[in-house]
């Protein structure tokens, strides 16, 4: 993340990765205040054993795109609706409008948990344990919806399915 103020959003990614048992590194690498640190972090990520990077950014949101420019690892951007942001639109556009050849996979505004799920999905390509954990997680989501439908039906609600 680019600043400490992003932690309230980005901690959801850490929580979700922890739930899946995925080790993670969380730090501040500002493209504006510590650009050399950002470059070193991105360029050394693969050597340090990282496989997917999640980068959050508010306002102009340079962090995800700049990190993507300095690594060939997948980068998932989390647009953050910061105090200087235009309701998050500037952050979203800076991530989804990356030039050809330097992609940033982008999740919804303030949705760091989804970034962690996407990172986990990428990691399941080479990790059967994570694939099983993700399958259980998805089944939990499905079961939660089915329970809600049952509760609604008991209350007189009829769905059209």
């Amino acid at each position: 993340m680019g600043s400490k103020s992003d932690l309230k959003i980005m901690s959801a990614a850490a929580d979700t990765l922890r739930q899946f048992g995925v080790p993670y590194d969380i730090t501040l690498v500002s493209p504006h205040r510590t650009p050399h640190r950002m470059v070193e972090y991105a360029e050394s990520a693969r050597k340090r054993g990282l496989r997917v990077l999640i980068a959050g950014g508010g306002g102009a949101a340079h962090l995800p795109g700049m990190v993507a420019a300095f690594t060939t690892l997948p980068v998932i951007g989390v647009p953050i609706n910061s105090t200087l942001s235009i309701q998050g639109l500037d952050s979203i556009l800076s991530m989804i409008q990356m030039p050809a050849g330097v992609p940033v996979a982008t999740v919804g505004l303030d949705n760091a948990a989804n970034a962690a799920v996407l990172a986990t999905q990428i990691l399941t390509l080479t990790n059967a344990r994570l694939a099983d954990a993700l399958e259980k997680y998805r089944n939990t989501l499905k079961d939660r919806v089915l329970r809600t439908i049952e509760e609604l039906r008991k209350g007189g609600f009829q769905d059209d399915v």
Side-chain angles (χ1 to χ4, degrees), residues 131-158:
D132 290 342
L134 191 59
E135 185 71 29
K136 288 176 185 169
Y137 171 77
R138 288 284 182 92
N139 284 333
T140 300
L141 296 177
K142 178 185 76 173
D143 292 345
R144 200 177 303 157
V145 170
L146 294 175
R147 276 194 311 274
T148 301
I149 291 169
E150 254 333 284
E151 290 169 10
L152 290 171
R153 283 183 180 154
K154 287 178 185 175
F157 173 80
Q158 293 297 313

Side-chain angles (χ1 to χ4, degrees), residues 18-117:
R18 195 175 312 113
Q19 176 183 338
F20 288 120
V22 173
Y24 61 90
D25 176 30
I26 189 165
T27 192
L28 296 176
V29 287
S30 171
H32 305 106
R33 296 177 197 99
T34 59
H36 297 291
R37 176 177 162 75
M38 181 206 62
V39 170
E40 194 279 323
Y41 185 88
E43 287 182 336
S44 68
R46 187 181 300 276
K47 286 185 223 162
R48 291 183 290 115
L50 301 180
R51 297 291 173 250
V52 180
L53 300 174
I54 299 172
H62 291 110
L63 182 60
M66 290 304 297
V67 166
F70 288 100
T71 186
T72 56
L73 291 173
V75 175
I76 303 168
V78 179
I80 296 175
N81 188 7
S82 66
T83 56
L84 299 176
S85 182
I86 305 167
Q87 296 180 325
L89 184 59
D90 44 351
S91 302
I92 292 168
L93 291 174
S94 74
M95 292 178 206
I96 65 172
Q97 293 297 105
M98 289 295 294
V102 189
V104 172
T106 306
V107 296
L109 187 64
D110 293 342
N111 201 339
N114 249 8
V117 172

